[in-house]
């Protein structure tokens, strides 16, 4: 079963590469067929969620690779193919806009390989194949990033690869340390080994840094707001929606091999709370919609980490219920974030396709031109703002509930961290609503400030809304059918922590009733109108009231003014650069306000500068004269000889 | 089933009586400013008149603006329903009556408000939406801090059960964190009511009324009704959690609640009329930071276990 799915993606990837002379066919082969395969595999992964199954690769390689799916990796595999299904359909419509920039066949082939590499990472069963496939996944995503050629794209790809390399390095060391202690490279044999507590803390830290950097956790988040907006929007949807979840998977899977102390859970929570707050504060002040969505990924990873941290804290204390609630919340939010974040990125691609601009300030009123995109985007926005009765609310409710349960613990530090994390999550929740009012309303509502863009905007292809529809519908379903999802996730988590039980009644909240009541109350005023014989005539349309002035589209609020007061409040934390420029005395003054990532300047810029400085100094040695190189070789040989004599002599 | 019926009864009574509270408030405001105030029934007259009027709308809108008064009404009506005013102790109501449902419904109210106001393209509405959201950034954490203290003390987020536990008197003002939290929560609810200094009555252009400035006719009537229902729900939220008196009989509970809401409404009017006005940022600095501090004290009292 599993081998069929994997080989289907492999064959489709190779075939679409072979079709590079006829990109139009490759479009259907490389995006249409994978969505069918994905749909099929969604069914397979869901029906087999409670099983552990896999296959062994035949043949005599250096070693015999084996691929095994446990319930946890089965869940994440489901996540991969489920998002790929929606994204695949969307891309059939979207790829036309990439036609002039790249060969669609190559794009399609890489798309398939990207999905395949993520699936393989999930099912790899030993250290060697995990590391190799992890790197392949990073490289393929970096290649996909390059399809949008912009001024800064090389720099962005380098930053992305750099951070990913640091992370992969940490992961590799951690896994090798575990396998050294356990005496085996196979994950299946990592059981019942003795590990000293110092080494265990060291390995856990390495895992947290390694996987955190891939997920986009604070302070390793700097690459995500650069890379996601650069990527073509279908790739951004996969990267932010799915690839960042691979890191969550790795963190949960590998940390559980080790003895966990509660402090590990608490430190994950602190980092998660910081990611959430910092991510959303930066998201709010962005002026480009794709950057706003990208920063909100950092925030959502933070929320997922709050759940994961609660889970680890529960395991550390040996409290099954707490661990269960935390992990269910984290996995549920991972699923939800994958759904609505991909939906938003796809919507962003749709907007960019129609308008060719990334600035929020040039847009407005698009809902009248693109009604289907608008309503699908609205569903995504409502979900991500965690408003009832959609899915974001349910998973955040779970995380809140688990954190409240954690806040009952005996230890003072535990109570403090949990209570403050809840406050951070609440603050995040308020800012999220602010940010997504801005995102939806300034793009789709009101009037457009640029007449030309407004007139040119329309729904370019029906496949794009169709792909978004799949995800939007899932947002509704995951909200209203939350109890089913929780049962499903509960069985996944039960497999991880066998001694857990549903000791408190957690499916007490009934989303269908809330939705039903909201709908009923929506109609109630009309019943009252009937009783009181209200005036039911049609509304007369006129210009908005502007205090007696003639209304002008520039009177509407813009993205900078909308968050102006907030910017003034947090200007102590985030520095805003005001750039004023004027070409000539009579020309208009240009104002620009930039919000540079403070953490980049604080943590990364010094390292980059140090490397540049060192490279500059080393450069003196590379003077291109062959005689110097001979001297270097001689010095090296001489040094080796001395060292050899000293160490190996006697 | 009985719970659902009680919820609907609450909603019915609230829809019937909230214009009266508003009328009393307007009458009192007139008295305080030494003039003859409006008649007590003025708000009823207003709403009936609005229902009979035809409407006008900006020509820049999409469906969201048209639908939003009804969405606002639906959200605030649900808020009234989930406040366990007349029902308590049974977990059945907790299927929808939950602390976080209440908090996030308030956020949903704000979301609809914000999007609708930008959709109207009115410059004042945009400013109003921005300020509403900014105030929320201050208020929501304070609300949550107070509520999680209660949730941790009672070990549940289910509002009817919380009310039941509080009425039994196991948890009450003898617990320091609860007592301190009540101050901060009262303030948060006052802000959520949308009164001065957070909504300036005489310059209603901007903050809250600016947002609904483009509505007219029956839409405006429904939007006003939604705002009044939200005020009622917010006061009841405070009463349910921090004034834990009650009877066995749901109808007596409801009557008691109406009296208490009346008292708090008059109190709010007094603050409204005697309080000073600020610019938005200095207002938040003066009012919100102190309260944030109080709520953090309450939280730290909980953490050290008092």
């Amino acid at each position: 079963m599993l081998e069929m799915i994997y080989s289907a993606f492999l064959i489709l990837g190779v075939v679409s590469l072979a079709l590079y002379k006829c990109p139009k066919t490759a479009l259907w082969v490389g995006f249409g067929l994978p969505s069918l395969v994905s749909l099929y595999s969604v069914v397979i992964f869901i029906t087999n969620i409670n099983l552990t199954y896999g296959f062994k690769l035949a043949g005599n390689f250096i070693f015999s690779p084996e691929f095994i799916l446990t319930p946890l990796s089965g869940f994440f595999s489901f996540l991969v193919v489920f998002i790929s299904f929606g994204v695949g359909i969307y891309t059939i419509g979207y790829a036309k806009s990439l036609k002039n920039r790249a060969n669609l066949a190559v794009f399609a082939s890489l798309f398939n390989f990207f999905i395949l590499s993520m699936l393989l990472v999930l099912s790899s069963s030993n250290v060697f194949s995990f590391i190799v496939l992890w790197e392949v996944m990073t490289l393929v995503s970096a290649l996909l990033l390059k399809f949008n050629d912009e001024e800064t794209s090389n720099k962005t790809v380098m930053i992305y690869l750099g951070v990913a390399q640091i992370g992969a390095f940490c992961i590799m060391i951690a896994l090798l340390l575990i396998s050294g202690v356990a005496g085996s490279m196979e994950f299946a044999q990592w059981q019942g080994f003795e590990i000293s507590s110092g080494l265990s803390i060291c390995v856990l830290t390495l895992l947290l840094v390694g996987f955190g950097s891939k997920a986009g956790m604070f302070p390793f988040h700097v690459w995500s707001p650069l890379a996601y907006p650069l990527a073509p929007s279908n790739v951004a949807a996969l990267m932010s929606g799915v690839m960042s979840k691979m890191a969550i998977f790795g963190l949960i899977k590998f940390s559980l091999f080790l003895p966990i102390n509660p402090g590990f859970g608490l430190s994950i929570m602190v980092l998660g709370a910081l990611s959430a707050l910092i991510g959303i504060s930066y998201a709010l002040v962005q002026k480009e919609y794709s950057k706003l969505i990208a920063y909100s990924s950092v925030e959502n990873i933070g929320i997922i980490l709050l759940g994961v941290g609660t889970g680890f804290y529960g395991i550390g204390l040996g409290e099954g219920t707490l661990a269960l609630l935390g992990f269910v919340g984290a996995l549920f939010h991972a699923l939800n974030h994958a759904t609505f974040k991909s939906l938003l990125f796809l919507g962003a691609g749709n907007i960019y396709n129609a308008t060719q601009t990334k600035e929020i300030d040039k847009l407005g009123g698009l809902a009248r031109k693109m009604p289907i995109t608008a309503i699908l985007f609205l569903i995504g926005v409502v979900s991500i703002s965690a408003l009832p009765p959609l899915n974001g609310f349910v998973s955040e409710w779970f995380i809140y509930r688990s954190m409240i349960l954690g806040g009952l613990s005996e230890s003072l530090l535990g109570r403090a961290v949990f209570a403050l994390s809840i406050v951070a999550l609440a603050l995040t929740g308020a800012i999220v609503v602010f940010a997504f009012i801005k995102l939806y309303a300034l793009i789709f509502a009101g009037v457009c400030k640029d007449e030309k863009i407004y007139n040119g905007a329309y729904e370019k292809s029906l496949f794009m809304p169709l792909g978004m529809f799949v995800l939007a519908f899932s947002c509704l379903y995951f909200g209203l059918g939350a109890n089913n999802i929780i049962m499903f996730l509960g069985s996944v988590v039960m497999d991880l922590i066998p001694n857990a039980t549903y000791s408190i009644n957690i499916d007490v909240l009934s989303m269908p009733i809330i939705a039903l009541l909201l709908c009923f109350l929506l109609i109630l005023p009309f019943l009252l109108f009937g009783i009181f014989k209200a005036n039911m005539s049609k509304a007369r349309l006129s210009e908005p009231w502007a205090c007696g002035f003639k209304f002008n589209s520039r009177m509407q609020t813009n993205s900078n003014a909308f968050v102006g007061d907030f910017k003034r409040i947090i200007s102590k934390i985030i520095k805003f650069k005001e750039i004023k420029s004027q070409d000539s005395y009579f020309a208009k003054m240009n104002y620009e306000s930039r919000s540079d990532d403070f953490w980049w300047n604080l943590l990364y810029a010094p390292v980059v500068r140090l490397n540049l400085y060192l490279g500059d100094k080393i450069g003196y040695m590379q003077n291109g004269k062959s005689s110097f190189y001979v001297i270097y070789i001689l010095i090296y040989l001489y040094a080796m000889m001395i060292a050899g004599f000293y160490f190996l002599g006697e | 089933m009985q719970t659902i019926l009680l919820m609907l009864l609450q909603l019915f009574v609230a829809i019937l009586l909230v214009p009266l509270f508003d009328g009393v408030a307007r009458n009192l405001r007139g008295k305080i400013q030494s003039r003859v105030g409006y008649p007590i029934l003025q708000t009823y007259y207003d709403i009936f008149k609005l229902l009979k009027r035809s409407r006008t709308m900006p020509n820049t809108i999409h469906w969201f603006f048209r639908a939003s008064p009804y969405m606002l009404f639906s959200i605030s009506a649900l808020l009234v329903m989930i406040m366990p005013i007349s029902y308590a102790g049974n977990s059945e109501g907790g299927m929808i009556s939950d602390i976080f449902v209440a908090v996030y419904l308030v956020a949903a109210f704000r979301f609809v408000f914000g999007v609708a106001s930008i959709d109207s393209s009115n410059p004042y509405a945009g400013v109003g939406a921005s300020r509403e959201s900014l105030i929320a950034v201050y208020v929501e954490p304070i609300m949550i801090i107070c509520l999680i203290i209660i949730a941790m003390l009672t070990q549940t987020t289910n509002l009817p059960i919380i009310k039941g536990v509080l009425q039994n008197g196991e948890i009450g003002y003898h617990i320091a964190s609860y007592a301190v939290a009540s101050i901060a929560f009262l303030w948060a609810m006052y802000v959520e009511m949308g009164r001065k200094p957070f909504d300036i009555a005489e310059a209603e252009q901007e903050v809250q009324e600016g947002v609904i400035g483009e509505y007219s006719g029956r839409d405006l009537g429904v939007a006003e009704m939604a705002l009044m229902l939200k005020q009622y729900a917010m006061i009841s939220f405070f009463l349910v959690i921090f004034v834990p008196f009650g009877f066995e009989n749901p109808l007596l509970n409801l009557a008691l609640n109406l009296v208490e809401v009346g008292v708090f409404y008059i109190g709010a009017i007094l603050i409204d009329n005697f309080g000073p006005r600020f610019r938005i940022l200095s207002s938040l600095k003066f009012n919100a930071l102190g309260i944030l501090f109080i709520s953090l004290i309450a939280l730290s009292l909980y953490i050290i276990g008092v």
Side-chain angles (χ1 to χ4, degrees):
Chain A
M1 206 68 86
L2 206 56
E3 55 267 40
M4 271 174 61
I5 295 168
Y6 291 175
S7 44
F9 280 114
L10 181 67
I11 292 168
L12 284 172
V14 174
V15 168
S16 36
L17 194 60
L19 285 171
Y20 75 100
K21 287 259 162 133
C22 33
K24 269 199 180 150
T25 331
L27 179 65
W28 290 96
V29 173
F31 294 113
L33 290 180
S35 2
L36 291 182
V37 177
S38 303
L39 187 61
Y40 171 73
S41 19
V42 165
V43 178
I44 298 287
F45 287 133
I46 288 183
T47 47
N48 294 334
I49 189 76
N50 287 323
L51 304 177
T52 300
Y53 56 105
F55 66 95
K56 225 181 178 107
L57 218 53
N60 274 325
F61 292 106
I62 306 167
F63 71 114
S64 47
E66 196 180 359
F67 294 95
I68 300 172
L69 278 189
T70 56
L72 182 68
S73 45
F75 166 73
F76 280 95
S77 302
F78 154 70
L79 195 67
V80 173
V81 287
F82 165 64
I83 301 299
S84 317
F85 172 57
V87 174
I89 297 176
Y90 170 88
T91 312
I92 299 172
Y94 178 75
K96 282 174 194 147
S97 67
L98 290 171
K99 208 161 49 185
N100 301 330
R101 273 182 276 167
N103 188 325
L104 287 185
V106 179
F107 188 59
S109 154
L110 283 174
F111 182 80
N112 280 307
F113 286 138
F114 187 39
I115 298 171
L116 180 66
S117 65
M118 288 192 285
L119 287 174
L120 288 174
V121 163
L122 291 169
S123 62
S124 60
S125 70
N126 58 37
V127 176
F128 181 72
S129 53
F130 183 85
I131 290 291
V132 170
L133 290 164
W134 183 266
E135 292 290 7
V136 168
M137 180 178 84
T138 307
L139 284 177
V140 174
S141 60
L143 288 176
L144 281 166
L145 272 183
K146 287 287 289 176
F147 274 84
N148 261 355
D149 209 9
E150 281 177 15
E151 216 176 313
T152 55
S153 61
N154 278 344
K155 193 181 169 193
T156 302
V157 172
M158 276 305 154
I159 291 172
Y160 170 58
L161 282 177
V163 177
Q165 278 314 305
I166 295 170
F169 186 64
C170 291
I171 295 170
M172 191 158 78
I173 295 174
L175 294 188
L176 287 177
L177 280 175
I178 303 178
S179 57
V181 174
S184 166
M185 300 279 259
E186 300 285 328
F187 298 151
Q189 285 165 14
W190 286 4
Q191 271 158 0
F193 53 87
E194 293 285 319
I195 186 164
S196 68
S197 67
L199 188 60
S200 146
I201 288 171
C202 187
V203 172
L204 286 174
T205 314
L206 283 172
L207 285 175
L208 185 58
V209 171
F211 289 114
S213 67
K214 191 69 176 175
M217 175 187 80
F218 170 81
F220 307 104
H221 66 283
V222 285
W223 62 272
S224 55
L226 298 171
Y228 296 151
L230 175 71
S233 64
N234 54 348
V235 177
L238 278 184
M239 279 175 71
S240 164
V242 186
M243 193 184 71
S244 61
K245 307 298 176 303
M246 299 297 111
I248 304 291
F249 161 77
L251 185 61
I252 296 177
K253 176 171 174 170
F254 294 116
S255 304
L256 284 180
F257 285 119
L258 298 162
I260 287 167
N261 59 338
F264 180 59
L266 293 182
S267 43
I268 292 185
M269 290 192 67
V270 171
L271 286 173
L274 282 175
S275 305
L277 267 180
I278 288 170
I280 197 61
S281 309
Y282 275 100
L284 180 55
V285 297
Q286 296 305 316
K287 282 158 60 180
E288 292 178 8
Y289 50 82
S290 45
K291 277 210 160 173
L292 197 161
I293 304 173
Y295 266 115
S296 126
S297 290
V298 178
E299 171 241 333
N300 275 289
I301 290 293
I303 296 177
I304 295 172
L305 286 178
L306 283 177
V308 173
T310 312
F312 280 131
Y313 185 73
I315 288 183
L317 289 184
E319 285 190 19
T321 315
L322 183 57
L324 184 80
L325 268 178
F327 280 128
V328 168
L331 293 189
F332 199 4
H333 201 75
L335 175 63
N336 289 339
H337 175 238
T339 320
F340 49 62
K341 189 47 62 67
S342 323
L343 176 60
L344 290 179
F345 269 120
L346 297 186
N350 216 343
I351 298 165
Y352 184 75
N353 245 357
T355 60
Q356 300 298 325
T357 177
K358 284 187 175 177
E359 301 262 323
I360 294 178
D361 277 342
K362 288 185 182 163
L363 301 173
L366 286 188
R368 275 167 289 148
K369 288 283 190 171
M370 307 164 72
I372 308 173
T373 309
I375 197 159
L376 297 174
F377 201 81
L378 180 64
I379 291 176
V381 164
V382 173
S383 304
I384 201 171
S385 315
L387 304 179
L390 293 189
N391 58 355
F393 171 70
V394 189
S395 49
E396 281 200 19
W397 183 81
F398 252 91
I399 291 173
Y400 270 122
R401 274 310 294 266
S402 62
M403 290 201 294
I404 285 179
L405 199 62
L408 300 174
S409 69
E410 294 296 313
S411 98
L412 207 62
L413 183 67
R415 284 158 88 121
V417 169
F418 274 100
L420 290 176
S421 303
I422 296 176
V423 177
L425 187 53
L427 190 54
T428 309
I431 306 178
V432 166
V433 175
F434 201 171
F436 283 92
I437 289 175
K438 169 177 156 173
L439 182 69
Y440 177 77
L442 290 177
I443 292 178
F444 287 105
V447 279
C448 190
K449 294 184 187 75
D450 195 324
E451 200 68 16
K452 213 168 127 195
I453 288 174
Y454 182 69
N455 291 332
Y458 64 97
E459 306 270 7
K460 300 260 171 175
S461 157
L462 273 183
F463 280 109
M464 294 203 277
L466 189 65
M468 288 170 72
F469 174 77
V470 172
L471 298 172
F473 181 78
S474 317
C475 280
L476 288 174
Y477 176 71
F478 294 156
L480 297 181
N483 286 352
N484 297 340
I485 311 287
I486 287 158
M487 285 299 149
F488 173 78
L489 292 174
S491 66
V492 173
V493 178
M494 295 282 224
D495 181 69
L496 288 179
I497 16 174
N499 55 352
T501 43
Y502 280 104
S503 68
I504 58 164
N505 194 6
I506 51 175
D507 56 349
V508 67
L509 204 64
S510 165
M511 298 317 281
I513 297 184
I514 293 182
L516 208 68
L517 279 174
L518 279 175
C519 291
F520 164 70
L521 294 170
L522 202 61
I523 307 166
L524 188 66
F526 290 96
L527 296 177
L528 296 180
F529 290 159
I531 295 169
F532 294 116
K533 296 200 178 56
N535 183 337
M536 298 303 278
S537 61
K538 213 161 168 272
R540 187 166 50 87
L541 295 184
S542 63
E543 281 199 336
W545 183 71
C547 269
F549 287 92
K550 171 87 179 123
F551 179 75
N552 179 324
S553 65
R554 291 186 51 170
M555 286 178 178
Q556 200 194 4
T557 184
N558 68 19
S559 72
N560 204 13
F562 188 64
V563 297
D565 288 333
F566 182 79
K567 275 173 101 169
R568 219 168 299 159
I569 290 171
I570 61 161
S571 58
K572 291 192 178 63
I573 305 164
I574 303 178
K575 293 276 177 278
F576 298 99
K577 269 189 198 149
E578 297 278 339
I579 301 167
K580 293 175 196 160
S581 62
Q582 197 175 20
D583 292 339
S584 69
Y585 188 76
F586 294 103
K588 271 186 187 168
M589 185 84 133
N590 283 322
Y591 290 94
E592 203 187 339
S593 139
R594 279 180 30 210
S595 54
D596 290 340
D597 204 323
F598 172 70
W599 302 100
W600 174 264
N601 296 335
L602 188 72
L603 300 174
Y604 292 80
V607 180
V608 173
R609 246 179 280 136
L610 178 71
N611 276 323
L612 280 177
Y613 176 77
L614 287 179
D616 212 34
K617 293 295 168 217
I618 291 172
Y620 287 122
M621 294 167 70
Q622 302 277 6
N623 49 14
K625 288 177 187 158
S626 54
S627 49
F628 274 88
Y629 288 89
V630 172
I631 291 175
Y632 295 155
I633 292 169
L634 280 178
I635 291 173
Y636 176 74
L637 283 177
Y638 186 62
M640 280 296 111
M641 207 173 75
I642 291 172
F645 183 75
Y646 188 76
F647 288 111
L648 302 175
E650 307 286 318
Chain B
M1 195 61 217
Q2 199 207 351
T3 314
I4 285 277
L5 284 178
L6 282 174
M7 285 178 177
L8 286 173
L9 174 74
Q10 259 169 238
L11 179 61
F12 178 72
V13 172
I15 290 177
L16 216 60
L17 288 185
V18 283
L20 181 67
F21 288 124
D22 195 58
V24 172
R26 290 164 75 177
N27 184 280
L28 259 178
R29 183 189 295 158
K31 293 264 162 58
I32 290 168
Q33 294 172 346
S34 13
R35 58 183 164 85
V36 181
Y38 296 100
I40 288 177
L41 296 180
Q42 183 64 43
T43 311
Y44 290 101
Y45 302 149
D46 287 353
I47 284 181
F48 279 113
K49 190 157 200 174
L50 284 172
L51 289 184
K52 302 285 177 196
R53 287 288 175 91
S54 67
R55 298 170 300 157
T56 167
M57 281 181 183
N59 52 9
T60 59
I61 53 167
H62 70 291
W63 61 267
F64 200 99
F65 183 85
R66 287 173 200 275
S68 57
Y70 307 98
M71 291 195 259
L72 292 177
F73 181 84
S74 140
I75 292 167
S76 48
L78 189 62
L79 265 175
V80 172
M81 283 173 74
I82 66 174
M83 292 304 147
I85 294 167
S86 55
Y87 52 95
N90 49 347
S91 64
E92 183 191 337
M95 283 206 287
I96 62 168
S97 174
D98 187 276
I99 282 178
F100 293 111
V101 175
V103 173
Y104 278 82
L105 276 177
V106 174
F109 191 90
R110 196 172 297 125
F111 180 84
V112 176
F113 228 52
V115 173
S117 60
I118 293 181
D119 200 18
S120 74
S121 302
N122 188 316
Y124 290 104
V127 176
S130 164
R131 292 183 178 184
E132 277 278 324
S133 309
L134 186 70
I135 291 172
V137 173
Y138 278 88
V139 179
E140 206 165 290
I142 294 173
M143 245 163 100
I144 292 269
I145 290 174
C146 303
L147 290 173
I148 59 166
I149 290 170
I150 310 298
M152 286 174 179
L153 287 173
T154 56
Q155 311 203 355
T156 176
T157 56
N158 187 328
L159 274 173
I161 292 183
I162 289 178
K163 192 183 178 195
V165 172
L166 291 172
Q167 277 184 2
N168 289 341
E170 296 155 32
I171 289 160
Y173 283 95
H174 56 277
I175 296 175
S177 53
Y178 177 86
V180 177
S182 73
I183 303 168
F185 197 67
L186 180 62
W187 177 86
M189 290 302 99
Y190 177 74
V191 177
E192 282 297 336
M193 275 177 73
R195 292 210 166 268
K196 205 168 68 180
F198 306 99
D199 186 20
I200 297 149
E202 287 80 5
E204 284 178 345
Q205 288 289 346
E206 293 157 36
V207 186
Q208 210 164 46
E209 304 282 322
V211 177
I212 55 174
E214 289 289 342
Y215 285 106
S216 54
R218 62 182 158 95
D219 287 347
L220 182 59
V222 172
E224 294 271 13
M225 205 62 203
L227 284 173
M228 287 188 280
L229 281 177
K230 188 185 162 205
Q231 294 184 349
Y232 176 73
M234 289 297 111
I235 299 179
S236 301
F237 203 3
F238 176 80
L239 293 174
V240 162
I241 293 183
F242 288 105
V243 187
F245 304 116
F247 305 102
E248 283 298 305
N249 189 330
L251 292 179
L252 277 178
N253 262 337
L254 188 56
L256 175 68
N257 172 268
L258 287 173
V259 174
E260 287 170 337
V261 170
V263 172
F264 274 85
Y265 224 100
I266 291 168
I269 292 300
L270 295 180
I271 302 176
D272 192 350
N273 282 290
F274 294 122
R277 271 183 271 157
F278 293 106
R279 283 180 301 130
I280 184 90
L281 284 181
S282 49
S283 157
L284 289 173
K285 206 179 283 173
F286 272 97
N287 292 293
L289 283 183
I291 302 296
L292 187 66
F293 190 60
I294 291 178
S295 62
L296 285 176
I297 288 175
L299 191 64
S300 47
L301 283 174
Y302 169 77
I303 290 170
I304 58 172
V306 185

